[in-house]
Amino acid sequence: MNVTADTLTAALVHSIWQDAIVGLLLCTALIFLRRGAANARYLACCAALALMTALPIVTTIVLSERGFPDGSSMPPTVVVAPLSSVETVPPDSAPPSSAVRRVDWITSLTPWMLPVWLVGVGVCSLRLLLASMHTVALTRRSDPEDGPITATVSLLAARIGVHRAVSVRISMMTDSPATLGFLRPVILLPPAVALGVTPQQLEALLAHELAHIRRHDYLVNVLQMLAETLFFYHPAVWWASRRMRIERELCCDDIAVNACGDAVGYAQALTKVARLMATRHGGWRQRRTASSEDSAAARRPRHWQ
């Protein structure tokens, strides 16, 4: 392998313990912040995931600048010692055979680390491609809504602080409200949700989606998927990214409640959407979702329950 391949391989090896330490620090921080605001936990997760991504890059740069000496500029020096000074090494001083086997095992795996990583990144990149194709399909197979829902979104956007134009589209391909796009954000609403909830509940759900737009969560989620693609081999990266998504939803819940001023109505809107999703997916899914509603409600912040 050339110097670049050696550098990348070394950085991948170092990232295993580096990201593990960051994951432990994040776990400790979340324990101390478990009774604090969801936004504080979210920022801690963002910082940890950013550090997990930056450490291997910094390690690669440092190792590239340091270089790997090949010994051509410094010929080896041969020292000739008298025969009388040569000492016989006792057999007990030889390294244990288990340690030798362990070093040989790691050394034999090193040439495969970079190829396996490249293959893994290629496979995980398909996830990004499929997600992009699904986003395009959702947008194209939806109908624009230019009626009262769009007017409600405009009023809520001014109240929440969203200064970009937001379009609303009705989609049969979604089960719950969703937000797509960064430069030109789109809120997708399934017909069952648009027609099956009260105006106050719909306003609360739209406020939640507008909170995602105000926080630029769509762009952050894309960056998360890039980190998951590059560091697919590390469980700490996946765990930190999952916690980011959980805390993100809680942050948007807080914004939606503050915008609508009705915590009970917002909780009822979430329950209504869950029941509509369960009805669409069949009886067995309905029982499973209904049983999980209590646990989902238990995870909501206490200050607005």
Side-chain angles (χ1 to χ4, degrees):
M1 293 186 296
N2 55 27
V3 173
T4 302
D6 289 336
T7 302
L8 291 176
T9 301
L12 291 174
V13 174
H14 285 297
S15 69
I16 296 176
W17 63 267
Q18 289 173 342
D19 290 352
I21 293 177
V22 176
L24 290 176
L25 293 176
L26 175 60
C27 183
T28 304
L30 292 179
I31 292 175
F32 284 103
L33 296 173
R34 64 184 182 277
R35 298 187 182 276
N39 194 57
R41 296 191 298 270
Y42 177 77
L43 292 178
C45 293
C46 289
L49 189 61
L51 187 58
M52 290 179 182
T53 305
L55 282 176
I57 298 176
V58 173
T59 302
T60 303
I61 296 174
V62 171
L63 293 179
S64 298
E65 293 178 351
R66 184 179 301 174
F68 292 89
D70 54 8
S72 57
S73 60
M74 296 179 60
T77 304
V78 179
V79 179
V80 180
L83 294 178
S84 59
S85 63
V86 176
E87 297 181 359
T88 303
V89 179
D92 295 339
S93 63
S97 59
S98 60
V100 174
R101 287 196 300 268
R102 188 181 302 112
V103 173
D104 291 341
W105 179 72
I106 298 176
T107 305
S108 63
L109 286 182
T110 300
W112 296 95
M113 290 181 181
L114 185 59
V116 170
W117 178 76
L118 292 174
V119 172
V121 170
V123 173
C124 292
S125 298
L126 296 177
R127 175 169 168 254
L128 288 174
L129 179 61
L130 293 176
S132 301
M133 295 173 59
H134 184 62
T135 300
V136 174
L138 285 175
T139 305
R140 290 182 176 179
R141 299 179 184 180
S142 59
D143 300 321
E145 201 284 333
D146 298 325
I149 298 180
T150 300
T152 302
V153 168
S154 299
L155 294 175
L156 284 173
R159 188 188 308 171
I160 293 177
V162 177
H163 304 291
R164 287 174 290 172
V166 181
S167 61
V168 182
R169 304 181 71 90
I170 305 299
S171 174
M172 297 288 295
M173 299 177 61
T174 59
D175 297 328
S176 61
T179 302
L180 302 176
F182 173 66
L183 297 177
R184 292 182 294 180
V186 177
I187 295 178
L188 297 180
L189 285 177
V193 173
L195 301 176
V197 297
T198 65
Q200 293 76 16
Q201 292 173 346
L202 181 60
E203 181 179 343
L205 295 174
L206 293 174
H208 179 96
E209 300 305 322
L210 287 171
H212 282 299
I213 297 175
R214 193 189 80 174
R215 293 163 44 85
H216 310 294
D217 286 338
Y218 184 83
L219 177 61
V220 176
N221 188 63
V222 173
L223 296 177
Q224 282 182 247
M225 295 181 68
L226 288 175
E228 293 167 353
T229 300
L230 294 175
F231 305 101
F232 64 93
Y233 56 89
H234 210 299
V237 173
W238 290 95
W239 173 74
S241 185
R242 178 177 176 273
R243 287 305 305 259
M244 273 186 65
R245 292 187 172 94
I246 294 174
E247 301 300 337
R248 174 189 302 152
E249 294 300 323
L250 296 178
C251 291
C252 292
D253 288 343
D254 292 341
I255 296 176
V257 170
N258 292 332
C260 298
D262 186 5
V264 176
Y266 181 65
Q268 292 174 348
L270 294 177
T271 303
K272 185 71 173 180
V273 171
R275 292 189 183 278
L276 290 174
M277 292 174 59
T279 302
R280 178 174 178 177
H281 288 283
W284 69 271
R285 186 72 174 271
Q286 183 176 6
R287 292 191 298 268
R288 179 181 177 184
T289 306
S291 63
S292 63
E293 285 174 3
D294 295 336
S295 60
R299 292 193 298 268
R300 298 295 179 185
R302 296 293 181 183
H303 61 274
W304 65 265
Q305 263 190 340

